Amino acid sequence: MKPVLCLGDICADIIIPYADALKAKSDPASCLNADVRPAEGGSAANTACAIARLGIPVLFCGTCGQDA
C-alpha cells in the first residue's frame, strides 16, 4: 500500500472540555477553573496521526514555528 502524504503545519491545539465550555458560556468567571490545556496538533498533523492509527502508511511534510 502506498503511503498517504499529509502536507501542512504543526501547531498547538487548545483543549477545552465541553462541560467547561458550557459553564463559561453562562458564567464567564468559571473560565478561571476550566481545565484548559495545550496539546500538539494542527489539522495536517492530526490527520496524519489518525491515518497512522488505522494502520495505513503515512508521511508528513510540514513546518513548525519558533514561537512557544
Side-chain angles (χ1 to χ4, degrees):
M1 178 183 299
K2 291 185 180 181
V4 174
L5 174 61
C6 294
L7 302 170
D9 59 346
I10 302 169
C11 61
D13 287 339
I14 298 173
I15 309 299
I16 304 170
Y18 186 68
D20 289 345
L22 289 178
K23 284 184 216 170
K25 188 175 180 182
S26 62
D27 178 17
S30 70
C31 288
L32 300 173
N33 297 324
D35 183 26
V36 177
R37 61 183 174 84
E40 299 79 13
S43 59
N46 288 343
T47 300
C49 184
I51 291 170
R53 288 180 179 166
L54 293 172
I56 300 169
V58 63
L59 300 170
F60 176 82
C61 180
T63 60
C64 183
Q66 303 247 347
D67 59 331

